Amino acid sequence: GNSVTQMEGPVTLSEEAFLTINCTYTATGYPSLFWYVQYPGEGLQLLLKATKADDKGSNKGFEATYRKETTSFHLEKGSVQVSDSAVYFCAGSGYSSASKIIFGSGTRLSIRP
Amino acid sequence: GAVVSQHPSRVICKSGTSVKIECRSLDFQATTMFWYRQFPKQSLMLMATSNEGSKATYEQGVEKDKFLINHASLTLSTLTVTSAHPEDSSFYICSASKGDSYEQYFGPGTRLTVT
């Protein structure tokens, strides 16, 4: 079946470090791919998205490129800040007409000052 | 645009009582609304999908008589947890989508604690 797999956390980095959170998907079609961020005690916020192969989503210094050949959508940021500490979810949708989103398990990111 | 609100943000209820959670799309008409449950430090689990004016479609393992979903209008869906028990304590998140878009807009979540 369709699935989204992301690297397990927690991930702890120092401020200004380079961030990569890996995400891969399985699909029989061409899903839309998303990264969501969840700050403590809050709901999910859309961070970025890509709807077709080779698209690059970007927002707030974060980037992810839809790679069809490797079925990946890794999240990257060149220089993280303490305020980036949150849980990040990779997700895919468009697998069915019901527009269900399939979420990865989430990766908790902590940034040290 | 595309703001979704939930009310209440937190609720504490006694075991055996029922509690209703509202999900509203504030600036768009939501053709489909979704209800998720999130356990601590875990991912979101889809509970049900609802379209305005029709019965909700529940995911496998979700009791439809316990988690009543009503999608009475294009801007409002409600989730009622009936005869709540401590194991129903969780973070409930709704989302909404519009038109043919696969994108979902999420509410801020409701933390339910059953004592």
Side-chain angles (χ1 to χ4, degrees):
Chain A
N2 298 311
S3 65
V4 174
T5 303
Q6 63 182 105
M7 64 186 287
E8 289 191 20
V11 174
T12 303
L13 297 172
S14 297
E15 204 167 19
E16 299 183 3
F18 184 87
L19 168 71
T20 300
I21 301 178
N22 289 339
C23 172
T24 57
Y25 66 92
T26 61
T28 53
Y30 301 97
S32 294
L33 299 172
F34 308 87
W35 276 100
Y36 287 91
V37 58
Q38 184 178 34
Y39 298 101
E42 298 184 13
L44 269 66
Q45 299 177 27
L46 178 64
L47 182 60
L48 53 85
K49 66 178 180 181
T51 57
K52 60 182 187 298
D54 299 326
D55 269 2
K56 177 187 283 189
S58 61
N59 185 25
K60 300 181 181 179
F62 290 90
E63 291 183 341
T65 301
Y66 191 143
R67 303 273 189 208
K68 179 184 169 186
E69 62 276 11
T70 55
T71 61
S72 65
F73 193 56
H74 304 323
L75 181 69
E76 296 181 335
K77 186 174 185 180
S79 176
V80 293
Q81 306 299 314
V82 172
S83 57
D84 293 327
S85 298
V87 180
Y88 292 81
F89 292 93
C90 185
S93 77
Y95 290 102
S96 72
S97 60
S99 303
K100 291 181 183 178
I101 287 184
I102 296 176
F103 285 93
S105 56
T107 302
R108 185 174 299 276
L109 173 66
S110 296
I111 306 300
R112 295 189 299 254
Chain B
V3 179
V4 176
S5 69
Q6 280 184 242
H7 178 79
S9 58
R10 290 177 179 271
V11 57
I12 300 173
C13 70
K14 292 187 177 180
S15 187
T17 62
S18 296
V19 61
K20 180 185 287 187
I21 302 169
E22 291 186 351
C23 176
R24 293 181 185 271
S25 56
L26 299 185
D27 52 3
F28 67 100
Q29 292 188 325
T31 51
T32 306
M33 286 185 164
F34 305 82
W35 286 95
Y36 295 85
R37 183 174 180 177
Q38 186 181 30
F39 292 101
K41 298 186 178 182
Q42 294 189 27
S43 189
L44 279 70
M45 180 191 79
L46 179 65
M47 299 175 66
T49 303
S50 73
N51 293 294
E52 182 261 343
S54 60
K55 289 184 178 180
T57 301
Y58 289 81
E59 295 298 300
Q60 193 172 8
V62 178
E63 298 175 62
K64 62 181 180 181
D65 294 330
K66 180 165 186 62
F67 299 100
L68 301 179
I69 292 172
N70 184 285
H71 192 162
S73 76
L74 284 171
T75 59
L76 173 64
S77 176
T78 60
L79 167 67
T80 301
V81 183
T82 62
S83 187
H85 288 98
E87 57 265 31
D88 298 325
S89 298
S90 193
F91 195 50
Y92 292 88
I93 302 175
C94 76
S95 70
S97 64
K98 48 184 176 179
D100 294 330
S101 173
Y102 289 131
E103 186 167 344
Q104 293 180 24
Y105 305 94
F106 285 82
T110 297
R111 184 161 302 284
L112 169 63
T113 303
V114 184
T115 60

